[in-house]
Amino acid sequence: GLRERVGIPILVKAVTEGLYSNVCRGLFEKDARTLSLLMATQVLRLEQHAISDPEWRLLLAAGDAVPEGALPRVSWITDTNLLARIANLEKIQGMSGIVESLETDAA
């Protein structure tokens, strides 16, 4: 009933905090930050559904290769890897128009 629905999130929070604290004791600071990122993104993905699978795959794998001629033309961004990521971001639901917006703002 209600008692179980209220108690489970509290239990999950306590276990997550305990796991993080205990694991971080044995990690270097940079590794603890990586663990924090992974745990936070998993919470956002699995519990809050705030990061979609296509967004997660783009974060991990940088997306598909983009031919040089298909890269966005944004004068203030010179890194071709970043431009390719932006081109791939355009393909994700809810992100369409980002390339046009950057190109317009750069003009």
Side-chain angles (χ1 to χ4, degrees), residues 19-29 31-32 35:
L19 175 72
Y20 176 79
S21 295
N22 287 317
V23 170
C24 282
R25 287 183 192 154
L27 297 176
F28 293 111
E29 187 175 338
D31 298 321
L35 176 65

Side-chain angles (χ1 to χ4, degrees), residues 81-102:
N81 289 326
L82 178 56
L83 290 170
R85 280 186 171 236
I86 292 168
N88 280 305
L89 186 61
E90 176 83 19
K91 299 173 191 173
I92 293 178
Q93 182 179 356
M95 295 293 185
S96 63
I98 192 167
V99 170
E100 181 181 344
S101 175
L102 288 170

Side-chain angles (χ1 to χ4, degrees), residues 66 68 70-75 77-89 99 102:
V66 178
E68 186 78 29
L71 291 174
R73 304 213 188 306
V74 182
S75 61
I77 301 176
T78 58
D79 183 340
T80 55
N81 289 326
L82 178 56
L83 290 170
R85 280 186 171 236
I86 292 168
N88 280 305
L89 186 61
V99 170
L102 288 170

Side-chain angles (χ1 to χ4, degrees), residues 35-46:
L35 176 65
S36 296
L37 173 67
L38 289 172
M39 289 180 75
T41 54
Q42 287 301 89
V43 167
L44 289 171
R45 288 184 65 229
L46 303 174

